[in-house]
């Protein structure tokens, strides 16, 4: 179900409103005031200041809960929160992000410095497995079409939703950390990581989660004026020696340490891969789309007079709702 804010321009008053009757409420056209779980304070503040405009609302139902998603057009992030523009000809400063096999994420520069290491894996799926099994069994034991089966299925659905929320929360933390501390990132191609996926290890982050992380990093980097490149899917980031460039064919998933037969260097496998990705970024910086084509709107629409784009001032970090508050 979707609601557009079409009436707002005609009447001069938004048809989709937040926090009108109660701080935790949303008003939808034709439906009226709906109480919601999340506080709308940050959004209300942005709307009041003319820094945001609600374009449309979508109502959906998942795992027995209704949710309202508001699509909002907001002003650019405050310049202080954006990465400074690099000088023309400055092609350095890249960091590669490797999805480790045992640990979720390692980031490093082309010079070999590890910048981020997230070694607390979201074990949400694994630790929840006994519960998942128990709830699944409960569903299959109930008579088909019965009310009890429906109840058990709803219980299982809520359980899956909880796992999903925990994973999303983790991915938001990691993507926030990466885009805050780096302005130029190189990610591994999704297909490569898929080929490397080791099911025996019950991969700390599933392929789907890695795809979601890449998506978050990409849009959050754009907010901060950063750049994200995805390495060529055939680039052997794990098998290449980050010191001398020799490609080693006999690297197995069991090899935790990369040891080069040519130059003798020995270093953590994931760190080696991250360094190679950073180097790839330095070599392929020409693939970065120019800032205009990237869709950044900094100052472009900030002029005097009527302007449909919210630009009264910038979006502060407190306004950016990227921290994730899963429903209790
Ligand atoms: Zn080497």
């Amino acid at each position: 179900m979707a609601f557009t804010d079409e009436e707002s321009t005609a009447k001069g008053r938004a048809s989709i409103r937040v926090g009108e009757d109660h701080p935790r409420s949303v008003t939808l056209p034709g439906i009226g005031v709906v109480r919601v779980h999340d506080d709308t304070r940050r959004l209300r503040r942005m709307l009041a200041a003319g820094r945001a405009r609600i374009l449309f609302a979508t109502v959906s139902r998942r795992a027995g809960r209704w949710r309202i998603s508001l699509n909002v057009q907001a002003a650019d992030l405050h310049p202080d929160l954006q990465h400074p523009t690099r000088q023309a000809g400055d092609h350095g400063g890249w960091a590669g992000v490797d999805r480790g096999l045992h640990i979720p994420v390692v980031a490093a520069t082309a010079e070999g410095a590890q910048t981020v290491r997230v070694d607390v894996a979201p074990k949400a799926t694994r630790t929840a497995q006994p519960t998942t099994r128990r709830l699944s069994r409960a569903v299959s034991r109930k008579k088909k079409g019965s009310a009890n089966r429906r109840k058990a299925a709803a219980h299982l659905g809520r359980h899956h939703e909880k796992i999903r929320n925990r994973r999303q929360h983790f991915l938001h933390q990691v993507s926030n950390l990466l885009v805050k501390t780096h302005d130029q990132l190189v990610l591994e191609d999704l297909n490569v990581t898929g080929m490397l996926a080791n099911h025996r290890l019950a991969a700390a982050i599933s392929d789907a989660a890695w795809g979601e992380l890449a998506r978050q990093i990409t849009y959050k980097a754009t907010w901060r004026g950063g750049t994200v490149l995805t390495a060529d899917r055939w680039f052997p980031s794990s098998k290449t020696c980050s010191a001398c460039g020799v490609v080693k064919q006999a690297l197995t998933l069991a090899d935790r340490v990369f040891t080069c037969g040519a130059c003798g260097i020995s270093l953590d496998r994931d760190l080696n891969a991250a360094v190679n990705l950073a180097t790839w970024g330095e070599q392929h910086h020409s693939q970065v789309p120019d800032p205009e084509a990237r869709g950044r709107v900094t100052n472009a629409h900030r002029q005097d007079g009527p302007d449909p784009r919210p630009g009264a001032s910038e979006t502060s970090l407190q306004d950016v709702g990227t921290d994730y508050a899963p429903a209790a």
Side-chain angles (χ1 to χ4, degrees):
M1 235 183 302
F3 301 86
T4 49
D5 194 38
E6 55 204 17
E7 292 162 54
S8 63
T9 38
K11 290 183 190 165
R13 184 181 181 223
S15 61
I16 299 169
R17 301 182 292 275
V18 292
E20 196 178 42
D21 275 29
H22 185 277
R24 292 170 193 266
S25 78
V26 173
T27 308
L28 295 174
I31 290 197
V33 179
V34 181
R35 282 290 295 271
V36 292
H37 175 269
D38 288 344
D39 192 359
T40 60
R41 188 170 51 90
R42 291 194 296 190
L43 180 56
R44 270 184 284 136
R45 205 169 48 203
M46 287 189 74
L47 291 168
R51 283 182 279 133
R53 189 161 77 91
I54 299 173
L55 300 179
F56 58 86
T58 312
V59 177
S60 58
R61 190 173 162 86
R62 193 171 64 211
R65 286 184 199 279
W66 290 96
R67 54 189 71 219
I68 303 174
S69 307
L70 297 174
N71 192 296
V72 176
Q73 187 180 45
D76 281 349
L77 211 56
H78 191 283
D80 288 353
L81 299 171
Q82 296 193 21
H83 296 293
T85 312
R86 283 186 180 262
Q87 299 282 310
D90 174 5
H91 303 309
W94 289 90
V97 182
D98 180 68
R99 170 204 188 183
L101 287 171
H102 286 281
I103 67 158
V105 166
V106 172
T109 65
E111 290 73 38
Q114 180 175 290
T115 53
V116 169
R117 186 177 191 94
V118 180
D119 50 12
V120 185
K123 296 200 184 81
T125 317
R126 249 176 301 166
T127 51
Q129 250 166 15
T131 313
T132 308
R133 270 198 297 274
R134 183 172 55 80
L135 294 176
S136 306
R137 271 201 305 271
V139 174
S140 55
R141 272 202 306 269
K142 304 287 188 297
K143 202 177 151 209
K144 272 186 186 159
S146 69
N148 277 337
R149 191 183 175 101
R150 208 166 51 238
K151 261 187 261 172
H155 196 171
L156 178 64
R158 284 197 299 276
H159 172 70
H160 279 308
E161 181 68 9
K162 226 176 271 175
I163 297 172
R164 184 188 171 279
N165 284 345
R166 260 181 236 148
R167 199 183 59 197
Q168 280 299 101
H169 180 72
F170 172 78
L171 294 176
H172 276 298
Q173 285 178 316
V174 174
S175 58
N176 284 346
L177 175 67
L178 286 168
V179 300
K180 262 186 226 174
T181 48
H182 302 82
D183 64 334
Q184 303 187 113
L185 292 165
V186 183
L187 308 179
E188 241 178 315
D189 189 280
L190 197 55
N191 295 310
V192 175
T193 58
M195 289 192 292
L196 282 177
N198 184 333
H199 298 290
R200 187 173 56 84
L201 293 170
I205 305 184
S206 69
D207 288 355
W210 176 255
E212 170 64 10
L213 182 68
R215 188 188 72 83
Q216 290 179 7
I217 289 171
T218 307
Y219 78 71
K220 289 178 185 179
T222 308
W223 286 351
R224 290 179 180 267
T227 307
V228 179
L229 280 182
T230 302
D232 183 319
R233 63 179 294 187
W234 306 116
F235 176 61
S237 59
S238 297
K239 295 183 173 180
T240 305
C241 171
S242 58
C244 71
V246 162
V247 179
K248 185 175 177 174
Q249 292 307 329
L251 186 78
T252 69
L253 289 170
D255 294 335
R256 300 306 312 137
V257 172
F258 181 96
T259 306
C260 178
C263 73
I265 196 175
S266 189
L267 78 166
D268 175 79
R269 173 208 181 97
D270 303 323
L271 177 60
N272 182 60
V275 173
N276 284 327
L277 288 166
T279 306
W280 189 94
E282 281 189 355
Q283 290 162 353
H284 296 79
H285 60 84
S286 58
Q287 293 184 11
V288 177
D290 70 86
E292 299 303 312
R294 279 215 308 270
R296 284 193 59 200
V297 292
T298 314
N299 296 324
H301 295 266
R302 242 171 253 159
Q303 65 231 1
D304 294 321
D307 180 1
R309 190 179 293 270
S313 99
E314 296 84 0
T315 300
S316 77
L317 199 61
Q318 277 67 43
D319 295 325
V320 184
T322 53
D323 53 311
Y324 189 76

